[in-house]
Structures are given as C-alpha cells and as structure tokens.
Amino acid sequence: MAEIKYEVTAKYGVLSTSKSGWTKEVRSISWNDKEAKFDIREWAPGDEKMGKGITLSTEEMRELKKILNGLDL
Amino acid sequence: MAEIKYEVTAKYGVLSTSKSGWTKEVRSISWNDKEAKFDIREWAPGDEKMGKGITLSTEEMRELKKILNGLDL
C-alpha cells in the first residue's frame, strides 16, 4: 500500500479521551505536502496510529461553527 | 458483511456540496437501534450511499463548539 505522508501543523483541542487512551482531536494536517486542512480524527497515545476521521476546509469549518452555535447542546 | 442498520433522526445542516452532488452534513443518526449520536459525514444524492465520517457525542459536540468559537475562521 502506498504510504500516506502527513504533517500535523496545528493542534486545537481534544474532544474526548477513550479508556484505551485514544483521543478525538481537532487538528490541522498537511497531506502529501499539500496545503493543510482542518481535521477531526482519533489518535492513539503518542500519535502512534491515526484512526477514522474527516478533513474539513476552512469554509466547511465556518459552516460547522454556525450550525453548532444554532444548537442547544 | 453484516448489515448496519441506521436511522437518520435529524438533519442540522450542510457543510458543502461536491461537484458530484455528495454533501457533507451534520446529522443525528441512530445506529442499530441505539440512542442517536451526532454525525458529520458525506452523503450521495438522495442519501443512496454514505461516505466516510465520524460520530460525536453531545459532550464532544460541546467541546467542538468551544474550539470552533476560539478559532478565527
């Protein structure tokens, strides 16, 4: 399988930590040397593995912010 | 492969629409008849297929909201 190159360029915060120590986090990640995108994803302790997640553009983050601010959480 | 049963219980908004018509959306989904969780995921036109995404608890959504409101987007 082809290797995916990535670089974490920013860490904005942790949403939760599982019993096994995996964290769900908001970060910015550059994939294959491209411009960094926002990312919400699970990470193993010490960032040794990455789990499932999604990438989001700045515009998508803006829309997400609007939606969250309209919800009674 | 075992079938995954799900029910969309709420749609909060669309983050983006791709050229092929897939939308990235914030919804609440009940998986296998369990309590609904928040969900950010891509959907094919007419919800015919679901793409990659993540589920989020209410507490994770609260943390995400805090993080987003702290970012200059």
Side-chain angles (χ1 to χ4, degrees):
Chain A
M1 205 168 85
E3 194 181 334
I4 296 169
K5 187 179 173 186
Y6 72 92
E7 183 189 1
V8 176
T9 60
K11 295 183 177 184
Y12 303 108
V14 175
L15 303 181
S16 64
T17 304
S18 75
K19 283 180 196 169
S20 54
W22 283 66
T23 50
K24 200 177 280 184
E25 299 197 31
V26 182
R27 299 182 172 187
S28 276
I29 298 178
S30 165
W31 301 93
N32 294 316
D33 290 326
K34 291 186 183 154
E35 191 184 357
K37 297 193 78 176
F38 290 101
D39 190 278
I40 306 173
R41 183 175 305 277
E42 292 176 338
W43 295 87
D47 290 356
E48 292 210 350
K49 289 181 195 167
M50 61 166 63
K52 281 188 282 187
I54 50 166
T55 59
L56 295 159
S57 67
T58 303
E59 187 51 45
E60 288 170 339
M61 287 285 272
R62 280 192 201 114
E63 290 302 316
L64 181 56
K65 185 173 169 175
K66 279 187 216 169
I67 290 168
L68 284 169
N69 285 325
L71 289 179
D72 183 23
L73 292 167
Chain B
M1 205 169 85
E3 194 181 336
I4 296 170
K5 186 179 172 185
Y6 73 92
E7 183 189 2
V8 176
T9 61
K11 295 183 178 184
Y12 303 108
V14 175
L15 303 182
S16 64
T17 303
S18 74
K19 283 179 196 168
S20 54
W22 282 65
T23 50
K24 200 177 280 185
E25 299 197 32
V26 182
R27 299 183 172 188
S28 276
I29 298 179
S30 166
W31 302 93
N32 294 316
D33 290 326
K34 291 185 183 156
E35 190 184 356
K37 297 194 78 177
F38 290 100
D39 190 278
I40 306 173
R41 184 176 304 277
E42 293 175 336
W43 295 87
D47 290 357
E48 292 209 350
K49 290 182 195 167
M50 60 166 62
K52 279 189 283 186
I54 51 167
T55 59
L56 294 159
S57 68
T58 302
E59 187 51 45
E60 289 169 338
M61 287 285 272
R62 281 192 200 114
E63 290 302 316
L64 181 57
K65 184 173 169 175
K66 280 187 214 169
I67 291 168
L68 285 168
N69 285 326
L71 290 178
D72 183 22
L73 292 167

